[in-house]
Amino acid sequence: MSATPDIIASLVLQEYEKLPVKRKPPVRDNGLHEWVPLSGIVAEFRGGDDLRCLSLATGMKCLPQAKLPFARGNVLHDWHAEVLAIRAFNRFVLDECKLLAEGGPEAESLFLRRRRVDELELLQSSTTTTPWCGQPFTWREDVKLHMYCSEAPCGDASMELTMAAQADATPWEVPSPVATPTADTATTTTTTPRADSPPVAPVLPGRAYFQHLGVVRRKPARGDAPTTLSKSCSDKLALRQCTSLLSSTASLLVSPTHAYLTTLILPSSQHSATGCERAFSGRMAAMKERTDLFRGGYRFAPFRVDTTDLEFAYSRRGVANRLALGGAAAGANKMAASNLAVAWTASGLEEASLGGTLQGRKLFDPRGASFASRRKMWALAVEIASILGAGLVGVQKTLAAQNYKDLKQSGMLQPRRDVKNKATLAALKGWVNNEGDNDFSL
């Protein structure tokens, strides 16, 4: 089996088709047909002879910044399909870690391998200033990772498509000075950046600010929506070229060295070569020669953008085509974006959520925490470290942090923080951390 864009896309689409009807966008009582974006992560292994979908997700919403303090690690912050698929992938990685830990030294995984004692000793003995890189597992060197998205990632990679969808694609003027976000405010303020401040992207209400390209954008696009500091999927995917697909928690157990995307697959209809080049390559050029910035197993690993002519049945185009084939007049007026988010992993997990909480549970109810939530992933990592035992005393101590904020600020995660900080300063200027949900404990 060859890892062509069509094959990669078809694996995600086929896995989605296996989900029960209740996980798919319905036709509402008022006759509106729902559509939703889909994303999935596919692994290529055994020299390209085998491919497998490891995670997938649908969704297109995020949590308002003002609600973050109430999340307590139980509510997803961002369930755009791309972001949720990566979170589901991290849950798959932790589940693989648990299988290896429970299976003992003889246990094997197609995707992870145990790191040898001599390998770890060599990594730590190169210099006295080498940062910690003692994760017990690593993503296998010969397993490539690909991602399929049914829509162009929101933000910079899709700006040309957004402009083209307007009746008049000419960029319109914006007021000056522009609105800029601050990390400690939950509302938009209008300020002029200080002369000694790094360039900051404007807060982008609606689909305005077309003339500001190559900048960090925030979700959602609608100007009348509650303020959020969740960065666009274009920005988050661009950063993943530096930090790998692994989350902070997963990177305490798995080395990030080989856990990078090789390819991003988009439908031909959703591919803007100019937008993708700018979002994922042009502005990231500052990282290409800065090998001095990467320590602890991190590196700059740009992915390739390829296209497929396959279409997701529940994409905007897929639903519109079905309506047209059914003879529906004014099909666009019979469509609506779905509020339902779905996540699935190859380790057997499947769920649906609304508003970042499991479907059927009230918002902020701890019993409604997603399997990909901060709290559930942290708790699973603690369990894995406990199974592994005395050889992971340092990791166990880090995972036993008093609260999630202390965990994120631990010394073992310093290399990841350094890479993220330097990438956002050098390439993704204007990045603002989405703070507010760090003060919780297990």
Side-chain angles (χ1 to χ4, degrees):
M1 184 184 296
S2 176
T4 65
D6 284 354
I7 292 294
I8 293 168
S10 66
L11 287 174
V12 179
L13 296 173
Q14 290 168 16
E15 208 61 63
Y16 180 83
E17 282 302 314
K18 297 176 185 177
L19 296 178
V21 174
K22 65 181 179 179
R23 301 299 191 215
K24 296 170 182 175
V27 178
R28 297 180 185 175
D29 293 341
N30 60 3
L32 288 176
H33 292 244
E34 293 189 0
W35 67 274
V36 72
L38 167 70
S39 291
I41 305 288
V42 172
E44 174 191 356
F45 52 105
R46 290 174 177 157
D49 292 333
D50 207 345
L51 292 98
R52 190 171 304 179
C53 182
L54 303 184
S55 71
L56 63 78
T58 62
M60 53 191 307
K61 306 286 184 179
C62 64
L63 195 68
Q65 201 273 341
K67 292 185 177 181
L68 285 182
F70 305 103
R72 307 288 297 167
N74 298 310
V75 181
L76 298 171
H77 298 176
D78 184 345
W79 51 97
H80 277 224
E82 297 92 329
V83 175
L84 187 51
I86 293 174
R87 292 198 68 82
F89 168 77
N90 274 275
R91 177 56 192 255
F92 171 81
V93 169
L94 289 176
D95 286 337
E96 286 290 291
C97 289
K98 185 178 179 182
L99 288 174
L100 287 174
E102 291 178 331
E106 303 304 315
E108 293 187 353
S109 163
L110 291 171
F111 312 103
L112 301 178
R113 69 168 177 81
R114 290 176 179 271
R115 300 171 90 182
R116 304 181 307 277
V117 173
D118 62 325
E119 177 183 2
L120 291 171
E121 289 177 346
L122 179 62
L123 287 170
Q124 290 297 145
S125 63
S126 57
T127 70
T128 57
T129 59
T130 298
W132 180 82
C133 50
Q135 298 94 336
F137 307 112
T138 184
W139 191 259
R140 288 189 176 274
E141 294 88 338
D142 58 347
V143 179
K144 297 179 181 178
L145 289 164
H146 309 279
M147 186 174 198
Y148 163 75
C149 302
S150 68
E151 306 285 337
C154 67
D156 212 49
S158 60
M159 287 307 294
E160 279 75 9
L161 298 172
T162 301
M163 288 185 246
Q166 309 306 307
D168 178 4
T170 304
W172 54 79
E173 294 298 321
V174 294
S176 181
V178 297
T180 57
T182 59
D184 57 351
T185 59
T187 58
T188 300
T189 57
T190 301
T191 63
T192 302
R194 287 174 13 201
D196 59 346
S197 298
V200 179
V203 173
L204 304 173
R207 293 180 292 273
Y209 297 98
F210 288 166
Q211 71 273 46
H212 291 278
L213 300 176
V215 299
V216 173
R217 296 177 182 274
R218 289 153 184 81
K219 301 167 180 165
R222 284 176 46 182
D224 61 348
T227 302
T228 177
L229 291 181
S230 284
K231 272 63 66 183
S232 76
C233 292
S234 292
D235 299 319
K236 290 185 176 182
L237 287 172
L239 181 62
R240 290 289 180 175
Q241 294 178 118
C242 298
T243 61
S244 84
L245 286 181
L246 298 181
S247 66
S248 295
T249 303
S251 64
L252 288 169
L253 296 168
V254 181
S255 169
T257 305
H258 307 292
Y260 287 84
L261 275 181
T262 298
T263 315
L264 176 68
I265 310 296
L266 301 177
S268 299
S269 63
Q270 289 295 290
H271 176 238
S272 165
T274 300
C276 288
E277 168 66 23
R278 182 182 59 245
F280 305 129
S281 299
R283 60 181 176 168
M284 301 303 293
M287 308 304 295
K288 290 182 180 179
E289 306 301 326
R290 297 301 306 274
T291 55
D292 59 305
L293 301 180
F294 297 93
R295 306 190 309 156
Y298 292 95
R299 58 195 175 95
F300 178 58
F303 51 71
R304 183 178 68 255
V305 179
D306 280 337
T307 62
T308 176
D309 289 329
L310 298 178
E311 285 283 7
F312 176 42
Y314 294 94
S315 69
R316 284 179 293 187
R317 298 161 304 286
V319 173
N321 289 340
R322 286 206 306 275
L323 287 170
L325 290 173
N333 296 326
K334 296 183 179 293
M335 295 167 53
S338 177
N339 291 321
L340 188 71
V342 171
W344 170 93
T345 74
S347 47
L349 299 177
E350 175 200 317
E351 67 183 25
S353 59
L354 287 168
T357 298
L358 292 183
Q359 189 176 24
R361 293 291 183 183
K362 292 182 178 180
L363 187 61
F364 308 127
D365 182 350
R367 295 172 297 178
S370 163
F371 66 65
S373 66
R374 287 182 166 196
R375 184 181 294 275
K376 287 289 185 69
M377 302 261 254
W378 182 11
L380 179 55
V382 169
E383 181 182 357
I384 295 166
S386 176
I387 295 171
L388 289 170
L392 274 191
V393 173
V395 175
Q396 290 174 346
K397 184 177 180 180
T398 293
L399 288 168
Q402 183 175 354
N403 55 44
Y404 193 75
K405 182 178 180 180
D406 291 342
L407 171 65
K408 295 275 283 187
Q409 292 298 317
S410 69
M412 287 184 173
L413 290 175
Q414 187 65 48
R416 188 179 192 276
R417 286 197 303 275
D418 288 345
V419 168
K420 179 179 178 180
N421 290 339
K422 291 168 183 175
T424 54
L425 285 173
L428 298 170
K429 298 175 182 178
W431 188 284
V432 178
N433 289 331
N434 199 17
E435 303 289 352
D437 186 23
N438 289 330
D439 192 20
F440 67 91
S441 304
L442 290 180

